[in-house]
Amino acid sequence: MNSDSSSDSMPLSRSIHTNTLSTRSEVDLKIIENRLRTYSNWPLEFITPEQLAQAGFYYLNIADQVKCAFCNGIIGQWEVNDQPLQEHRKFFPDCPIVRQQELQQEEIGIQSVRTPKSPEFSTLESRTRSFNTWNSTIQDPSLLAQAGFFYLGTGDEVRCFYCDGGLRNWLQNDDPWFEHTRWFPKCPHVMLVKGSNYIKRVIQRSTENGGNQSGNQSMPATPTITVDDAMNAQAALDALAMGLNAGRVRAVVQRRLNLTGRMFNDTETLVSAVLDGQIEDEGFDSSEADDQRVTNQVTQLLLSAVSSVGLNSDETERATSSSSIISPAVPEMSVMTEVGEEPRQPSDERRLKNVECKICMAEEVGVVFLPCGHLLSCVMCAPAMVTCPLCRQYIRGRVRTFLS
């Protein structure tokens, strides 16, 4: 959209930035109650004064133009489905109130939705296809794709679909997630999949090791077997038989081979390494476990999300046509039949269906969409979603979620 230097009218543009103060007291208008009082003649119905005031705007009494009390930015020509805070962030990203609200959301685990730099590679499948001409044996293209990278077709250069960060000259001991996080710690894809605790640990390790690749101070040993052979070893087969995630097991085995050149000697050691890695990735940091305030806030946001798991078609129709809050479903509830009969449990197939991603039908759900609160996408499919697949509401935020 174009910008205009005139504040009297706005025929061609939606936003302008001015340092000229109005006759109103800018100090007083930094109080939300005072901003709300300016909307007595607000002409639009699809955007409420409360939304605009919350985003820092007060009404200029000119058409539908509003002005920020903090950065003096002016926006007008509002359209249906516009969100005041998102529009504020789009045109005036350095505004103090925008940054403040972003930090508050990040603090409780809410990630604002921003358009990926390369939306055509938003899905894992599309990124994986980009590696069809990948000739390097140094890095596994499937791991690069999971970390958000797609192949540019030249050498070993890859680029993140979300933050547009590019990397090349890969080494054998490079961990794609670690390198992505080290060089581009503010990437929304990294923040969604790995979380803030992982990002903090990567930055700390990089600082401690003077920026060495993947935090390793020495070059890795040459693997004695391939990762495919290692996955057929008894320790790996036992771990998979226990129900551990195959992707996590493979990543841990790959890391072990890169560091030592050898497979785990026993099942117990492998299982412990997988579980330790899962705890780290999911951010169960003991130093932050007592932050009850954050826990309570996130819990309130997710209360309605669990209701989207396990709904039948009738319940889904009622959920999407009603604005009332749905009570959380209890997936493990026993069902009584006749008097004296044993209660029967839901089938394993139904339980698995309740927690699988409704987009790829393969991975476990792990992202709650806001504001609708539906939990039906895995972390790899979520970035490609603009609207919720269930209720079709526009997605304004995402929360990483872990099922127990």
Side-chain angles (χ1 to χ4, degrees):
M1 296 180 182
N2 300 323
S3 62
D4 195 332
S5 60
S6 172
S7 61
D8 294 331
S9 62
M10 196 174 297
L12 299 177
S13 67
R14 284 205 53 201
S15 69
I16 63 173
H17 194 289
T18 175
N19 292 321
T20 304
L21 299 181
S22 68
T23 57
R24 298 184 176 95
S25 170
E26 297 290 342
V27 176
D28 291 340
L29 290 171
K30 290 182 178 180
I31 301 174
I32 187 170
E33 289 80 7
N34 293 340
R35 295 197 296 274
L36 278 170
R37 294 192 185 101
T38 67
Y39 288 91
S40 58
N41 297 317
W42 178 244
L44 303 182
E45 295 182 355
F46 55 83
I47 293 183
T48 67
E50 288 77 14
Q51 290 176 299
L52 292 162
Q54 189 68 40
F57 294 116
Y58 63 89
Y59 185 37
L60 292 175
N61 281 299
I62 303 173
D64 64 350
Q65 296 181 24
V66 294
K67 182 175 181 178
C68 176
F70 297 85
C71 68
N72 296 323
I74 298 176
I75 297 180
Q77 299 181 4
W78 295 90
E79 299 175 353
V80 176
N81 294 323
D82 279 348
Q83 294 294 315
L85 186 57
Q86 286 198 343
E87 298 300 311
H88 201 163
R89 181 188 301 115
K90 180 196 302 183
F91 292 113
F92 312 110
D94 297 324
C95 176
I97 196 170
V98 170
R99 291 300 306 141
Q100 179 185 8
Q101 295 201 24
E102 285 183 341
L103 291 173
Q104 289 174 347
Q105 290 184 341
E106 291 172 2
E107 186 182 48
I108 60 174
I110 300 176
Q111 182 187 109
S112 299
V113 175
R114 301 177 183 177
T115 304
K117 298 294 185 181
S118 302
E120 66 273 23
F121 293 106
S122 292
T123 65
L124 177 60
E125 181 183 4
S126 62
R127 295 195 298 274
T128 302
R129 285 199 304 268
S130 72
F131 286 92
N132 288 340
T133 58
W134 177 264
N135 296 320
S136 174
T137 58
I138 298 297
Q139 284 289 326
D140 184 344
S142 65
L143 297 181
L144 290 168
Q146 289 176 21
F149 295 114
F150 63 91
Y151 184 40
L152 294 177
T154 305
D156 65 349
E157 188 172 356
V158 297
R159 189 172 298 277
C160 173
F161 80 97
Y162 218 126
C163 70
D164 206 37
L167 292 175
R168 60 185 176 183
N169 298 328
W170 291 89
L171 300 178
Q172 187 175 20
N173 64 323
D174 285 340
D175 179 342
W177 275 117
F178 188 99
E179 296 304 318
H180 196 165
T181 307
R182 183 162 73 99
W183 291 103
F184 312 106
K186 294 187 180 297
C187 173
H189 184 62
V190 172
M191 295 173 68
L192 177 65
V193 179
K194 305 303 284 185
S196 59
N197 289 329
Y198 177 83
I199 295 173
K200 292 176 184 177
R201 285 192 296 272
V202 168
I203 294 174
Q204 182 179 359
R205 285 178 58 188
S206 298
T207 302
E208 291 174 352
N209 291 287
N212 286 328
Q213 304 292 336
S214 296
N216 298 317
Q217 294 186 1
S218 59
M219 291 298 292
T222 302
T224 56
I225 58 174
T226 66
V227 66
D228 290 329
D229 291 338
M231 289 298 291
N232 290 321
Q234 191 59 48
L237 295 176
D238 290 343
L240 295 175
M242 294 178 185
L244 294 178
N245 182 276
R248 290 187 183 277
V249 174
R250 186 181 182 88
V252 169
V253 169
Q254 179 73 68
R255 192 177 302 119
R256 172 79 171 192
L257 293 177
N258 288 342
L259 293 175
T260 69
R262 298 185 300 275
M263 177 55 177
F264 288 91
N265 294 326
D266 56 78
T267 304
E268 182 180 356
T269 307
L270 172 58
V271 171
S272 297
V274 173
L275 294 179
D276 288 345
Q278 182 172 347
I279 289 173
E280 288 185 4
D281 287 349
E282 297 182 359
F284 295 114
D285 191 335
S286 60
S287 65
E288 300 182 8
D290 297 328
D291 194 345
Q292 193 61 44
R293 178 179 62 83
V294 173
T295 300
N296 290 340
Q297 287 176 298
V298 174
T299 300
Q300 292 298 319
L301 287 168
L302 302 182
L303 275 176
S304 62
V306 295
S307 64
S308 64
V309 179
L311 294 177
N312 58 36
S313 58
D314 292 337
E315 290 171 323
T316 301
E317 184 177 353
R318 289 198 300 272
T320 56
S321 62
S322 173
S323 59
S324 60
I325 298 177
I326 306 170
S327 299
V330 184
E332 298 297 333
M333 182 178 292
S334 300
V335 179
M336 297 299 295
T337 54
E338 299 294 333
V339 176
E341 288 186 6
E342 293 293 329
R344 57 178 191 265
Q345 299 289 340
S347 66
D348 290 340
E349 182 180 352
R350 181 176 177 181
R351 286 199 297 269
L352 288 174
K353 185 176 180 180
N354 287 344
V355 299
E356 73 181 7
C357 173
K358 302 307 183 293
I359 293 116
C360 67
M361 308 297 288
E363 300 299 324
E364 186 179 83
V365 292
V367 178
V368 170
F369 294 140
L370 299 177
C372 66
H374 286 133
L375 172 63
L376 43 76
S377 172
C378 68
V379 293
M380 291 298 169
C381 293
M385 299 295 104
V386 177
T387 60
C388 173
L390 181 60
C391 66
R392 301 304 179 187
Q393 284 195 58
Y394 280 91
I395 299 169
R396 305 301 179 188
R398 295 185 288 245
V399 179
R400 182 71 166 96
T401 308
F402 301 95
L403 301 180
S404 60

